[in-house]
Amino acid sequence: MEKYLSLSGNHSSNKRSLEGLSAFGSLEELILDNNLLGNDLVLPGLPRLHTLTLNKNITDLESLLDHLAEVTPALEYLSLLGNVACPNELISLEKDEEDYKRYRCFVLHKLPNLKFLDARKVTRKEREEALVRGSFMKVVKPKASSDHVEAPPEHPYTPLPSASRDLTNHRGVLGKCRYVYYGKNSEGNRFIRDDQL
């Protein structure tokens, strides 16, 4: 009886199917990293599975967590690193530590038996927060309207003059600037006396 199975890095252009896993009813550890499985992932019932890694696979977190709660009741160790659904400031500049905390809280709300999430131990404080606030930590994104789609700007703003944008052209750029001071209390007129005018 197999208790450990690793199917990492099995990319293929064909549709990926995990139907064969139903033959491994006593499976306890399953590694499916970097398989591009997508959001339509369907696992068979694996009642003894306690460790699952799905790094670099999915984008829809909620449907995955609902599915895992149903088919893996003994799950204690879960890793979702590298997925779009797992916010990480190293992968996306728009994400920060607060996004990751909300993500952990939501996952623990859906899967309260987890002991480790993404190689970090689940703390008592996280578990308590998940009980109280976990259902509110779901990140909801507005759906893009098909009626009004903004076209990206042709040339994004740059503070540099256009002559300095060419990386192969290393010339300096020279420009003129004239400063004019108005008013008797301006910085330029402070030390000028009437007889010096």
Side-chain angles (χ1 to χ4, degrees):
M1 288 186 180
E2 291 293 327
K3 293 186 176 185
Y4 172 84
L5 183 61
S6 176
L7 298 173
S8 295
N10 289 318
H11 322 292
S12 72
S13 57
N14 303 335
K15 177 146 176 68
R16 288 156 293 278
S17 174
L18 299 173
E19 293 171 4
L21 290 177
S22 58
F24 298 92
S26 62
L27 197 62
E28 294 178 5
E29 296 180 36
L30 178 59
I31 300 174
L32 295 171
D33 297 344
N34 206 19
N35 282 312
L36 306 174
L37 293 172
N39 295 326
D40 57 347
L41 171 69
V42 177
L43 291 171
L46 299 168
R48 295 184 184 176
L49 190 74
H50 60 73
T51 302
L52 176 63
T53 64
L54 284 168
N55 301 322
K56 296 184 180 179
N57 280 301
I58 53 131
T59 57
D60 184 12
L61 183 64
E62 187 172 17
S63 63
L64 172 73
L65 296 177
D66 290 339
H67 180 61
L68 291 179
E70 183 181 327
V71 298
T72 59
L75 191 64
E76 295 179 343
Y77 303 89
L78 177 64
S79 182
L80 299 173
L81 293 171
N83 290 306
V84 175
C86 173
N88 186 336
E89 63 267 17
L90 297 176
I91 295 172
S92 175
L93 296 176
E94 297 92 34
K95 305 297 180 186
D96 61 8
E97 185 64 26
E98 288 302 314
D99 292 318
Y100 186 69
K101 285 179 184 177
R102 281 191 296 275
Y103 151 81
R104 283 182 68 88
C105 190
F106 184 67
V107 172
L108 293 172
H109 166 71
K110 291 286 191 175
L111 302 172
N113 295 330
L114 287 182
K115 293 181 180 177
F116 278 82
L117 175 59
D118 298 334
R120 275 181 36 191
K121 187 175 183 178
V122 175
T123 64
R124 186 172 51 100
K125 183 179 177 183
E126 285 179 318
R127 199 174 301 285
E128 289 169 357
E129 186 172 355
L131 285 171
V132 176
R133 296 185 185 99
S135 61
F136 304 109
M137 295 297 177
K138 176 182 173 185
V139 177
V140 179
K141 296 179 184 176
K143 294 182 180 179
S145 173
S146 59
D147 299 340
H148 176 65
V149 178
E150 258 187 61
E154 240 179 75
H155 298 290
Y157 169 76
T158 175
L160 299 175
S162 60
S164 66
R165 288 189 201 139
D166 185 9
L167 297 177
T168 60
N169 184 358
H170 298 288
R171 304 180 295 155
V173 177
L174 178 65
K176 290 182 181 181
C177 185
R178 181 174 174 210
Y179 295 102
V180 178
Y181 295 102
Y182 296 103
K184 62 181 180 180
N185 294 323
S186 67
E187 190 70 31
N189 295 336
R190 186 166 52 176
F191 302 106
I192 299 175
R193 295 187 310 235
D194 288 339
D195 62 340
Q196 293 174 333
L197 293 174

